[in-house]
Amino acid sequence: MSKIAPIALTIGEPGGIGPELALKAWQRRTDDALSPFCVLTPIRILKQAIDQTGIDIPLVRLSDISETTTAFASALPVLDVEDTNASVIPGTASPATANIVIDSITRAVELTRSGAASAVVTNPIQKSALYTAGFKHPGHTEFLAELAGPGTVPVMMLANAKLRVVPLTIHIALAEVPKQLTAALIGTLCHITAKALQRDFGIMHPRLAIAGLNPHAGEDGTMGIEEQTIMIPAIKKLRDEGLDVIGPLPADTMFHEEARAQYDVALCPYHDQALIPVKTLDFHGGVNVTLGLPFIRTSPDHGTALNIAGKGIARPDSLIAALKMASDMAHKRISTGA
């Protein structure tokens, strides 16, 4: 397999489980065949995590991310970012460390866009603490889209070894979903998803399945009209444009094993319709992937877990899955020349 540049791993919320996950992921670097990664953080945060959790591993401060590959076998590489010297208290998300969180993300994107890093993998952030510090974005994804530049349309995909899902709408009230579910939205997200599956996952002829909004996919309009008025015309147009799309399908019968074999990704009208099946199938191995960016970004599919921070009991499975998926995507881009 061809070599890729190191992966840039952000620290996430310093008071959450991100620092512990980074330590544990490096511990499993050999068993899980992880590509070299570098953590972007003031090194003191990882030293504190070592003291608190008892995960005694060596750290090495780098002067440049290019040193990661050589250092990775014997120590966890760390690249410093802006430090406010604010106290980090496990289990507490503090606005005082917001600059560390934001600078870690910004530097990771800069390194990846320059080619010095192959991908951005982000540890979870605590949005409430960032908002208090003046952060203006709804979350990670929107901030990354701004860093990517004008015209970027980010698409959230959740994935594990058994299922890929894309929610067509995300963090809005259920009552708002029918208002935002337009043919234009469906078309845009399907095209971005199909292109990403080709470029980053090596699926040359991606098969897309779209879930209905209403029970039984509306049952010919007797249980809701959105399928008839919005979704079916949108799907017909996508087929005319050359995409392999089926639906709208009843959501209650499209996620069992035989049904999943018929498509490569499921697109669902609302958040929980997409996330419940993927988390049920593999809660600890899920990865959040942002499609539509000019760089690779993956993330664990969980939050900061403040309730267990600093206790040494956090599971690194999802972060490890995110690191492995980012590496696989980077290799795919090299092989396809994307």
Side-chain angles (χ1 to χ4, degrees), residues 105-338:
I105 299 168
T106 304
R107 288 286 305 283
V109 170
E110 290 172 349
L111 289 166
T112 305
R113 297 204 72 180
S114 73
S118 61
V120 177
V121 177
T122 58
N123 264 307
I125 60 175
Q126 191 74 18
K127 289 175 282 191
S128 57
L130 297 181
Y131 296 156
T132 302
F135 189 68
K136 302 299 183 185
H137 305 275
H140 247 139
T141 302
E142 293 81 4
F143 183 40
L144 290 164
E146 180 180 282
L147 294 174
T152 301
V153 180
V155 175
M156 175 194 290
M157 183 174 79
L158 288 302
N160 57 38
K162 297 179 179 180
L163 178 65
R164 302 181 190 92
V165 296
V166 170
L168 295 170
T169 64
I170 306 177
H171 298 127
I172 61 173
L174 195 56
E176 294 298 312
V177 172
K179 302 173 188 176
Q180 294 200 20
L181 188 67
T182 64
L185 175 71
I186 294 169
T188 297
L189 268 59
C190 282
H191 277 289
I192 291 172
T193 300
K195 182 178 179 181
L197 290 179
Q198 292 172 330
R199 178 181 63 179
D200 296 331
F201 293 85
I203 302 171
M204 291 301 100
H205 302 287
R207 301 166 300 164
L208 283 61
I210 300 181
L213 171 66
N214 296 295
H216 297 206
E219 197 150 308
D220 297 324
T222 62
M223 296 183 184
I225 63 170
E226 287 83 4
E227 286 79 9
Q228 302 292 315
T229 60
I230 299 169
M231 304 186 78
I232 290 173
I235 291 168
K236 182 181 183 303
K237 184 172 186 292
L238 287 166
R239 288 173 180 160
D240 291 343
E241 292 167 349
L243 268 63
D244 184 351
V245 187
I246 57 173
L249 304 176
D252 63 340
T253 58
M254 65 180 289
F255 295 111
H256 61 84
E257 186 174 2
E258 292 85 354
R260 297 197 309 272
Q262 305 306 310
Y263 56 82
D264 299 303
V265 63
L267 296 97
C268 303
Y270 58 93
H271 180 277
D272 286 11
Q273 194 182 43
L275 271 63
I276 287 172
V278 76
K279 291 190 175 186
T280 300
L281 286 166
D282 186 0
F283 182 78
H284 294 290
V287 178
N288 185 338
V289 189
T290 306
L291 311 179
L293 299 174
F295 51 88
I296 295 167
R297 182 264 177 149
T298 67
S299 180
D301 184 23
H302 58 66
T304 55
L306 296 174
N307 60 313
I308 61 170
K311 298 180 180 180
I313 59 174
R315 291 182 56 159
D317 306 55
S318 189
L319 175 59
I320 288 170
L323 288 163
K324 295 185 77 166
M325 186 173 291
S327 174
D328 290 344
M329 292 169 70
H331 282 109
K332 282 291 190 304
R333 287 199 180 188
I334 291 174
S335 66
T336 60

Side-chain angles (χ1 to χ4, degrees), residues 8-43:
L9 174 62
T10 71
I11 192 60
E13 168 53 51
I17 61 172
E20 178 182 336
L21 296 180
L23 301 177
K24 288 183 173 178
W26 183 82
Q27 275 189 320
R28 286 174 48 177
R29 67 197 181 284
T30 302
D31 290 346
D32 288 286
L34 296 181
S35 295
F37 63 86
C38 175
V39 188
L40 277 62
T41 180
I43 199 167

